Amino acid sequence: MLQRWARLPWWGRITIVYVLSRLVTTAMFAVASLLQAPDSRFGAFPSLGTLAAGWDGQWYWWIATYGYPTQLPLDDAGRVAENAWAFMPVYPGVVKALSVVTFLPWPVMAVIVSLCCGLGAALLFHRLLRIRLGDERAMFAVVLFCIAPLSALFQVAYAESMFLLLLTLALLLLVTRRYGWLLAVIPVMAFTRPGVLAFSLLLGLHLIVRIVTRHRDPLARREVVLILAGGALAALAGFAWMVIAGLVTGTPEAYLETELAWRAAFIGEQPLVPFSAWIQGGQFWFGDGPGIAVVAAIFVGSVVLLFLPPVRRLGADLRLWVGSYLLYLFAVFFPQTSVFRLLVPVFPLLGAVAVPRNRWYRGGVVIVSLALQWCWIFVMYGLANAYWTIP
């Protein structure tokens, strides 16, 4: 059997792993439905379709059906309430177009699109890691990618799966120095979900590295122009949605006020001050003194992580992406349960986890990943009974 497995093409092995992992996740969702808490937001014994289209999936469904509001909704206190402007248009637009063509219900097509994008991301992830780690380690990293604690996102109505596909493609283009194609991928990525500003920072750091190492890695003038163009395009695209929301609603701060509405449930109305949200979050969850200590430990640990030997094997570009994205999260995000989902774009770190070849180690990593996946599904989709259980 092992010989037959080895003779399969790489994409065939990945497809089999991906399908089997999705069946395991489906079983977990089914069990979570049977164990549904009495006060769950989904009610008693919800269907798999109800779970798949839940939480933010409802917002994407709303956008596909009604579009974006031209007037911002207000809560009882007169502040901007949670609304559709927090979500980008590419994913719901693609799902809606395909559902119209195929006559399939929106939730069904949403899951199909997420599944297909997840498979595409897994295939590209293998190509990306194989450059630095070789085929065997890259394949195990793909296994971890398919069974990761939040791999359930590959089969729910969220934009993460599509964003991962685009991000993996963009990282592969960057690593293989095909900068021109990035100009086509970046705008689509920017309007799929937030995070493209981190890619702009990545391109700037990538150019610095190329300049410093040009004596052993020649840097052509054309490459400099394309990298600068990509970085500028990513920066402009990253702010474009704010401008669009302001123009449509007539409120310049429409997007920022919408995003701040989500954290108001935790800390009340607070202005957006870069890098302050993590301090506020630490104080909210752990208290003033311990909270600051926890946040400082997380920040220092994130920096140290980038210099660990297994992470260094990923190469400068993937490490720079992880660092850029983590810095972006520290700058703009308020930490709550969604932080686990927002950390999914640092998935190249799975390559570092896949470096050791010890069978006991790898078996343990697989078991832990599946256990954490069940914990996440059970809390977010099984219990789903508290305002802070947000996937």
Side-chain angles (χ1 to χ4, degrees):
M1 290 181 64
L2 290 176
Q3 291 176 348
R4 291 179 180 177
W5 173 259
R7 286 197 296 267
L8 289 174
W10 65 271
W11 53 266
R13 284 177 282 156
I14 291 174
T15 301
I16 292 173
V17 169
Y18 184 79
V19 171
L20 292 176
S21 65
R22 301 285 56 82
L23 292 175
V24 171
T25 300
T26 300
M28 291 183 182
F29 271 119
V31 175
S33 174
L34 295 176
L35 300 177
Q36 200 71 207
D39 54 349
S40 168
R41 65 186 282 125
F42 296 107
F45 309 119
S47 67
L48 295 179
T50 299
L51 296 179
W55 291 108
D56 287 355
Q58 294 290 300
W59 285 111
Y60 287 116
W61 195 354
W62 175 276
I63 292 167
T65 305
Y66 303 106
Y68 293 90
T70 56
Q71 185 174 354
L72 293 175
L74 304 178
D75 60 17
D76 295 337
R79 297 171 300 199
V80 174
E82 299 173 358
N83 66 85
W85 283 108
F87 305 92
M88 305 300 180
V90 170
Y91 176 76
V94 169
V95 174
K96 179 180 180 179
L98 292 175
S99 64
V100 169
V101 172
T102 60
F103 301 102
L104 290 174
W106 193 91
V108 175
M109 182 51 65
V111 172
I112 292 174
V113 169
S114 293
L115 284 169
C116 293
C117 288
L119 175 58
L123 294 169
L124 290 176
F125 187 40
H126 179 268
R127 309 302 291 177
L128 177 64
L129 288 188
R130 196 175 69 168
I131 298 171
R132 296 284 304 187
L133 302 181
D135 183 78
E136 191 270 341
R137 287 190 173 102
M139 185 61 66
F140 184 61
V142 170
V143 172
L144 298 180
F145 180 75
C146 294
I147 65 169
L150 272 74
S151 60
L153 292 170
F154 294 143
Q155 56 196 81
V156 298
Y158 271 53
E160 264 68 18
S161 189
M162 181 177 289
F163 183 78
L164 286 182
L165 172 63
L166 295 167
L167 174 60
T168 313
L169 175 59
L171 290 173
L172 181 60
L173 292 173
L174 179 68
V175 170
T176 55
R177 311 291 172 79
R178 287 177 281 185
Y179 303 119
W181 287 102
L182 281 175
L183 301 180
V185 176
I186 286 173
V188 183
M189 188 165 58
F191 288 97
T192 300
R193 69 173 308 280
V196 76
L197 289 176
F199 202 85
S200 178
L201 175 59
L202 165 65
L203 288 173
L205 295 174
H206 173 81
L207 179 58
I208 293 174
V209 171
R210 291 293 312 273
I211 292 174
V212 172
T213 60
R214 65 186 184 279
H215 61 283
R216 65 173 184 270
D217 182 15
L219 177 63
R221 182 177 302 176
R222 177 179 178 274
E223 291 181 313
V224 174
V225 172
L226 288 174
I227 296 171
L228 289 174
L233 178 62
L236 290 173
F239 289 105
W241 191 242
M242 302 182 192
V243 176
I244 293 172
L247 292 175
V248 173
T249 62
T251 304
E253 302 296 321
Y255 176 75
L256 292 179
E257 292 183 10
T258 297
E259 289 286 2
L260 292 175
W262 259 266
R263 69 179 64 172
F266 297 89
I267 58 175
E269 187 177 8
Q270 297 282 349
L272 177 62
V273 179
F275 298 102
S276 67
W278 277 79
I279 300 297
Q280 295 169 340
Q283 293 171 330
F284 175 83
W285 292 107
F286 304 104
D288 293 342
I292 294 176
V294 169
V295 172
I298 292 174
F299 183 82
V300 173
S302 299
V303 175
V304 172
L305 175 69
L306 297 176
F307 294 92
L308 295 177
V311 178
R312 291 173 64 89
R313 292 195 60 165
L314 299 177
D317 292 325
L318 296 185
R319 292 168 62 212
L320 288 175
W321 162 249
V322 172
S324 298
Y325 186 75
L326 290 177
L327 185 64
Y328 166 78
L329 285 188
F330 277 120
V332 302
F333 182 68
F334 175 84
Q336 29 92 352
T337 50
S338 290
V339 72
F340 301 110
R341 172 171 58 86
L342 294 181
L343 283 171
V344 168
V346 301
F347 68 95
L349 290 176
L350 293 174
V353 180
V355 168
R357 285 176 166 164
N358 182 277
R359 292 184 179 181
W360 289 101
Y361 163 82
R362 290 189 169 184
V365 171
V366 169
I367 293 172
V368 170
S369 294
L370 291 173
L372 291 176
Q373 183 182 165
W374 163 248
C375 291
W376 189 80
I377 290 174
F378 177 66
V379 173
M380 302 302 171
Y381 290 90
L383 296 179
N385 59 353
Y387 76 93
W388 52 267
T389 55
I390 308 169

